[in-house]
Amino acid sequence: MTDALLSVRNLSVAFHQGDAETLAVDHVSFDIRPGEVVALVGESGSGKSVTANSVLKLLPYPAASHPSGEILFDGKDLLKTSEPELRRVRGNDITMIFQEPMTSLNPLHSIERQIGEILEMHQALTGSAARIRILELLNQVGIREPEKRLTAYPHELSGGQRQRVMIAMALANRPKLLIADEPTTALDVTVQAQILELLRSLKGDHGMSMLFITHDLGIVRKFADRVCVMTKGKIVEEGTVAEVFKRPQHPYTQHLLASEPRGEPPVADPARPVVMEAKDLRVWFPIKAGFMRKVVDHVKAVDGVDLTLRAGETLGIVGESGSGKTTLGLALARLIASEGRIVFIGDAINGHSFKQMLPYRSRLQVVFQDPFGSLSPRMPVGEIIAEGLKVHERSLSADERDQRVAWALEEVGLDPETRWRYPHEFSGGQRQRIAIARAMVLKPRFVMLDEPTSALDMTVQAQVVDLLRDLQARHDLAYLFISHDLKVVKALANHVIVMRMGKVVEEGPSEEIFRAPKEDYTKALMAAAFKMEAVENDAVGQ
């Protein structure tokens, strides 16, 4: 297309390991016009991010190569552009927002320094001129009291604030094309809606084009102009959003539109033994000020929470980013200090030291949100899963450990022969199964699941939910399920606690909370989540 800002033509991407070659992207073609939003959707491993990273040549070369194709931007083939020329395009004409801002922002640099580096490199702005521009950008992306945030570090911001900072960095040089790779995946539903509205507003103000990569079809329906559906490295369907959603032609597109977590949580049984119990649980972080650094106040991350969790049941913890969900889970697992009573399988553990907790660790496991961040890239999968056995079951021989690792992989639906491979050789859904296998190999009683499906596409989400439900039934597990995805919570949890600013706003049986929430905050959460679901269902029905 002659009027295209970006034109990708017959692009192929191959990855090489020894003599083996894997074709990750296979003759992909699409165009993005000025001011247009094109969504690239598909399951984990379909080639979406590899395609996007190819635009700016961010793949690990020479392990990656392009057997065929052109990427034409403003008439220039970026694949043939020299590195110095490409550096002038990166950050100036084309910028990128990644899925997880915490891994993209430098934890050792302040927000002012990180945005300032971009302005200095591309516009030679320094000093007061740079600060004025930084404040302008932070205001544009909706950061409140930006002057107070200049000296903040990434860990001092919420997930939504970090993503806004990433957007500010991407917009610093007024790019023509913004590539957004799953920019809302790790955010709760209300913040997700705010970020999408922000991007829509900024697109209108700046006239940017966007390549929007996501697995969330509800977002595509609301946000994009055109959509390209990818699977196994190929684009199998392309068209306007209205056309593709109303009349999907390819079976894979129909499958995507129909996918969502299904099934019912197990029936709660008050006669089952209590696995985890907390009374008046508090986690307060001190705020210090003055020359003597005296404590002047506290951040009440968890403030007087009571809960009871029985064997074979799932307690869902929901709420916005910063509500205290994860802090509550970490306190129950005794990974951070807390006050109040915690009873685990009959023993009060709230006063236990790190050493005293060791005998309980094998029965009290955690699965984190980002498996790529929690799995060592330097170790094969078998060694990662066996680590816990070396600590907690030292009497096992090497062969016995290997048998347990193979058993754990089979439990989560993976081939035991894959235990010699490394995490980067697996898709996102497979890596999450590996993280679950690492917990299951120790045969726990309680598992804290901290956003285990938020980084996964919808079809893989449904598979992981089915897996968790199956493991719970087979091993009588008690789950603490922390999530901002209310559709997944509805499919898994017997009981739900809604948190806001460290306190329990509402709690009760899952069915009651979802059918008739009583508190305004809970109603707002439900409206944000299930409005999106209604959009998806409407698309399938049409």
Side-chain angles (χ1 to χ4, degrees):
M1 291 172 59
T2 55
D3 63 339
L5 176 67
L6 181 76
S7 184
V8 176
R9 287 281 167 267
N10 294 314
L11 178 68
S12 296
V13 182
F15 288 94
H16 309 271
Q17 188 173 26
D19 295 330
E21 180 180 285
T22 303
L23 198 63
V25 175
D26 188 5
H27 291 87
V28 161
S29 298
F30 62 90
D31 296 288
I32 303 177
R33 301 184 188 95
E36 183 179 44
V37 177
V38 173
L40 205 54
V41 303
E43 291 180 296
S44 176
S46 63
K48 308 185 301 294
S49 293
V50 172
T51 301
N53 285 327
S54 296
V55 173
L56 289 174
K57 294 183 73 172
L58 297 178
L59 296 175
Y61 300 99
S65 67
H66 300 285
S68 69
E70 298 176 312
I71 300 176
L72 301 173
F73 179 75
D74 273 354
K76 287 184 180 179
D77 186 354
L78 297 181
L79 292 181
K80 296 177 181 176
T81 301
S82 66
E83 188 61 27
E85 287 179 290
L86 200 56
R87 285 198 199 105
R88 286 192 284 274
V89 174
R90 293 179 186 140
N92 268 331
D93 297 323
I94 306 177
T95 55
M96 197 160 183
I97 305 170
F98 296 97
Q99 177 174 338
E100 179 44 71
M102 199 61 179
T103 59
S104 303
L105 296 172
N106 191 322
L108 303 179
H109 291 176
S110 68
I111 299 308
E112 180 177 15
R113 181 173 176 182
Q114 298 196 53
I115 302 176
E117 282 179 336
I118 295 170
L119 296 173
E120 183 177 359
M121 181 179 295
H122 292 283
Q123 299 181 32
L125 277 182
T126 57
S128 59
R131 174 169 282 214
I132 290 169
R133 176 63 177 149
I134 292 167
L135 289 171
E136 180 186 326
L137 287 165
L138 292 177
N139 268 314
Q140 274 187 348
V141 300
I143 295 285
R144 296 176 185 173
E145 300 181 301
E147 295 85 358
K148 294 182 179 179
R149 295 299 182 184
L150 291 177
T151 57
Y153 290 84
H155 72 274
E156 298 178 289
L157 304 178
S158 70
Q161 289 171 328
R162 287 194 291 265
Q163 197 60 286
R164 288 172 188 268
V165 170
M166 283 293 298
I167 294 169
M169 293 170 70
L171 296 176
N173 298 308
R174 300 179 178 90
K176 297 177 182 177
L177 174 65
L178 175 64
I179 300 173
D181 189 357
E182 301 274 13
T184 62
T185 296
L187 305 177
D188 60 71
V189 288
T190 51
V191 178
Q192 184 183 89
Q194 294 166 12
I195 293 295
L196 288 174
E197 187 54 42
L198 169 64
L199 288 172
R200 183 184 288 111
S201 171
L202 293 170
K203 171 186 167 291
D205 293 343
H206 297 274
M208 287 186 308
S209 301
M210 289 182 63
L211 177 61
F212 197 93
I213 299 162
T214 184
H215 62 254
D216 192 323
L217 298 175
I219 291 175
V220 174
R221 174 73 179 264
K222 294 177 68 175
F223 191 68
D225 301 306
R226 288 190 304 114
V227 59
C228 300
V229 181
M230 284 192 76
T231 183
K232 298 179 181 177
K234 294 177 180 286
I235 290 179
V236 295
E237 189 159 355
E238 180 179 2
T240 67
V241 168
E243 291 169 351
V244 172
F245 275 68
K246 285 181 181 178
R247 290 178 293 276
Q249 301 298 309
H250 196 277
Y252 178 73
T253 311
Q254 296 166 1
H255 169 64
L256 273 184
L257 289 169
S259 295
E260 64 178 24
R262 299 183 186 278
E264 298 293 329
V267 177
D269 183 355
R272 300 304 308 280
V274 174
V275 174
M276 180 68 75
E277 188 175 14
K279 295 289 184 185
D280 194 26
L281 189 64
R282 302 182 304 283
V283 180
W284 291 12
F285 297 109
I287 299 173
K288 298 181 180 181
F291 179 73
M292 300 298 292
R293 306 299 292 165
K294 291 184 177 179
V295 176
V296 295
D297 203 349
H298 289 84
V299 175
K300 299 177 181 180
V302 176
D303 192 16
V305 172
D306 298 341
L307 61 85
T308 301
L309 178 58
R310 299 178 183 277
E313 294 183 359
T314 300
L315 174 61
I317 311 292
V318 303
E320 292 180 299
S321 176
S323 62
K325 306 186 300 293
T326 297
T327 305
L328 172 62
L330 294 174
L332 290 171
R334 295 292 295 148
L335 295 174
I336 59 172
S338 63
E339 295 181 14
R341 184 172 173 79
I342 304 172
V343 178
F344 177 56
I345 51 176
D347 294 341
I349 61 172
N350 44 283
H352 282 19
S353 65
F354 176 83
K355 187 174 181 180
Q356 289 172 317
M357 280 301 299
L358 283 177
Y360 297 92
R361 289 292 174 207
S362 63
R363 292 170 288 172
L364 195 158
Q365 287 291 297
V366 180
V367 177
F368 294 101
Q369 175 176 345
D370 178 16
F372 200 67
S374 63
L375 302 176
S376 172
R378 298 180 178 87
M379 295 168 64
V381 162
E383 287 186 25
I384 290 170
I385 296 173
E387 271 192 307
L389 294 174
K390 291 178 181 178
V391 173
H392 296 288
E393 299 191 31
R394 297 181 182 180
S395 62
L396 294 179
S397 67
D399 285 344
E400 287 171 329
R401 278 199 306 272
D402 193 51
Q403 289 171 12
R404 281 278 289 277
V405 169
W407 168 82
L409 286 167
E410 286 178 338
E411 283 287 289
V412 299
L414 291 176
D415 183 353
E417 293 303 313
T418 61
R419 63 189 183 277
W420 314 116
R421 293 162 56 186
Y422 288 80
H424 72 272
E425 298 178 74
F426 295 85
S427 70
Q430 289 171 325
R431 285 196 291 265
Q432 196 58 285
R433 287 174 183 265
I434 292 165
I436 295 169
R438 179 173 59 180
M440 290 305 303
V441 77
L442 291 168
K443 300 181 179 179
R445 296 281 304 280
F446 169 91
V447 183
M448 169 190 159
L449 298 152
D450 189 4
E451 302 274 12
T453 63
S454 67
L456 306 176
D457 58 72
M458 291 183 66
T459 54
V460 180
Q461 267 188 11
Q463 294 165 14
V464 171
V465 167
D466 288 341
L467 170 65
L468 291 172
R469 190 183 288 116
D470 183 49
L471 290 172
Q472 184 175 51
R474 273 188 277 151
H475 302 289
D476 208 24
L477 297 170
Y479 288 151
L480 185 79
F481 192 85
I482 298 166
S483 183
H484 65 254
D485 191 330
L486 300 185
K487 289 176 284 185
V488 176
V489 173
K490 186 179 181 182
L492 269 178
N494 312 91
H495 198 87
V496 173
I497 287 177
V498 182
M499 291 189 68
R500 187 184 190 191
M501 299 176 68
K503 290 185 175 292
V504 175
V505 174
E506 187 169 354
E507 70 169 304
S510 175
E511 186 180 350
E512 290 181 15
I513 295 288
F514 282 99
R515 187 185 70 247
K518 295 181 176 63
E519 300 296 324
D520 290 341
Y521 177 71
T522 311
K523 291 175 183 177
L525 280 181
M526 298 296 172
F530 293 103
K531 181 180 178 183
M532 191 76 77
E533 184 183 58
V535 167
E536 294 171 16
N537 290 341
D538 178 56
V540 174
Q542 291 174 355

